[in-house]
Amino acid sequence: MSAREPLRTNVVTQSLAQIGLCGLFLLTLLAAIPRSFRYLRETTRQLWFVGAMSLTIIMVCGLFVGMVLMLQLYHVLSIFGGTSASGMVVALSVYRELGPVVTALLFAGRAGTAITAEIGLMRATDQISAMEMMAVDPIAYVATPRFLAGLIAMPLLCCVFCAMAVFGGHLVGVTWLGIDNGTFWSNMTAVVDVRTDIVNGVLLKSLAFGAVVSLIAVFQGFTTPPTSEGVAYATTRTVVASSIAILALDFVLTAFLM
Amino acid sequence: MSQPRSSYAVGTGLFIVLGFAALAYLATQTSSVANVRQGDSYTLQAQFTNIGQLKERAPVKIAGVRVGQVQSITLKPDHDVADVTLSIDKHYDHIPQDSVATIFTSGLLGDQYVGIEYGSAKQIVADGGSLARTKSTQPLEEMLGKFFGAGGVVDNVGGSYTVKANFTNVGTLSAGAPVKMAGVVIGSVQSVNADPVQLNARVVLAIDKRYNAIPDDSAAAVFTSGLIGTQYVAIQPGGSPDTLKDGDEMILTQSAMQLEDLIGKFLVNGSSDKKPASEK
C-alpha cells in the first residue's frame, strides 16, 4: 500500500493524494474483514488495548468536563434565575457535541498514536515483510483487527464519557451549588430524547469518529517511511489529521442530523 | 491459549459490559424514558384547571421544603381539568384534608412546582385520596392583563351578553379594553366602530352573564386609568327597577376627556378670570 512517492508538487495535491490513498486503503481494509475473523483473538486483544486501557483517561476527563460545564452554566444562568435548566444544558451539550468530539480527540491521542507507532515500527523492523513471507496477510492480521477494535471501542467509550459528565454535573450542581435534585433530573428527562440525542448524538457520531480515527491511525502506520524519523512524523500526522477530520465531520454530521 | 491472553478477554469483556451499562444508564435514567420508581411514598390526586409548564418529576414542596415529586399528569378526554398525581414521602403523611395545592413558579422564569399549604382540618388525606382545593398556575398573559388593566379577565367565563353605547368621543378606547363597575372588571369592549348615520362612536360592550342586574338607566363613561394609563369603560349604576338585557342600548354616556381640552380649560379659567369662553 505504500510504494509510490506522492507527487512533490504542493500541499494541496499532496493532501489530495493522501486522501485518495486513504480511501483506497479503507476499501482494502473492509475487504479484509471476512479474512480477519480468523484472528478474533487479536481483535479482542486490540479492543482491550484501545478500549479498556483508555477507560481511565476517558472517565477522568468526562467527570471534569461535566463539572466545569455545570460550574460555568450555573454562573451564567444565575443571572437570569434559570439555574434549574443547567443540568439539562449539560446533558444536551455533552450528548450532542462534547461527548463524541472530546472522546474522539482523546481516543486519537491515546490509542491512535499508539496504533500508528506500533505499525510504523513493525514496518521499520521488517515484521510486516516477514508476515508476508510466512503467507500471513498483514492487512487481515494487523490492520483490520485494530480498525474493528477502534470502531467498537469508540461508542462504548463515548457512553462512559457522557455518563461520567452527567455524574460530574450532578456532583457540582446538586451536591455543591444546591440545585434541586428532582428539578435537575426532571428537566433533563423532559428534554433529552432517546433518538435525537442518544442514538443520533452519542452513538452515531462516536461510531463515525471511531471509524475515521482508526482508519487514519492504521493508514499512517502502514504508509510511514520505515525510519525512526518517519514513524515520529506519522504519529504526529495521525493526531493532526484525526483532529481536523473529527471537527470537520462533526460539523457535517450535526448539519445533517439536526 | 495462555493465561495472559484469557485475562485480556476478561478485561475486554468487562470493558464492553461497562460501556453498555453506561449506554443503558444514559438511555433510561437521563432521557425521557426515565420513569418514576421510588421507595416509601404515597400518592395524592389533585386537579388543576391549568398546569402551565409543570412537568413529571417536578418537586412537591411543603413550606418550601421538598417532600416528593409529581408522578404523572393526565388529561381525561371528557374532562377539562388535568389530573396530577403527587408522590409524597411516607414521612409526611399528615396532610389535612382542606390543604391547598398550588402550582408555583420559582423565580420569574424558573421551573414550576407544586406547593402544598396546610389547612386546619382534623382529618388527614388518605393514601390515594385527593386534594379538593387547588390553585392553578397563573398564565403570564393573564397577570400582565390584570396589571395593565387590559385584557378581559372574565372574557367568556359562563358567557356574556352585549350592550350598545354611543359616545361622541372614545379617545383611544379599543376592542378588548375592560369594562368596570365599581372598579371591578365585569366584561370587555367587543368592538368600537364609527356610526355612519349618527356620526359618533358605537361601542359594543360584552358583560359577564353573572352581572345581569344592572339597571337600564346606568351611565357608561370612558375613563383613563391613571394619568397615562389605558382607557376603559366604567359603568355607573342608575336607580331604575328594570335591568339591562342583551342587545339593549345605554342612553347615558360620558365621552373621553381629551387632555388638550382639560389643559385648555385649566389655562383659560385659571390664568385670567375674565370670561367663561367655553364652559361646556
Side-chain angles (χ1 to χ4, degrees), chain B residues 163-180:
Chain B
V163 173
K164 289 191 274 292
N166 283 327
F167 295 92
T168 54
N169 189 346
V170 292
T172 58
L173 189 75
S174 56
V179 176
K180 295 183 181 184

Side-chain angles (χ1 to χ4, degrees), chain B residues 65-141:
Chain B
V65 179
R66 185 191 157 83
V67 295
Q69 62 185 2
V70 173
Q71 196 173 51
S72 67
I73 299 168
T74 52
L75 181 67
K76 290 205 192 89
D78 53 341
H79 278 57
D80 64 343
V81 291
D83 291 314
V84 177
T85 309
L86 311 174
S87 165
I88 297 174
D89 196 334
K90 262 274 193 297
H91 207 55
Y92 307 98
D93 61 351
H94 296 286
I95 296 176
Q97 251 177 0
D98 59 345
S99 301
V100 182
T102 312
I103 297 178
F104 288 113
T105 307
S106 33
L108 190 60
L109 303 168
D111 271 311
Q112 293 191 307
Y113 64 93
V114 177
I116 297 179
E117 290 153 78
Y118 274 7
S120 53
K122 289 279 193 295
Q123 301 95 330
I124 59 167
V125 193
D127 184 12
S130 66
L131 288 172
R133 305 176 62 192
T134 60
K135 264 191 257 169
S136 291
T137 169
Q138 294 278 349
L140 194 61
E141 295 78 12

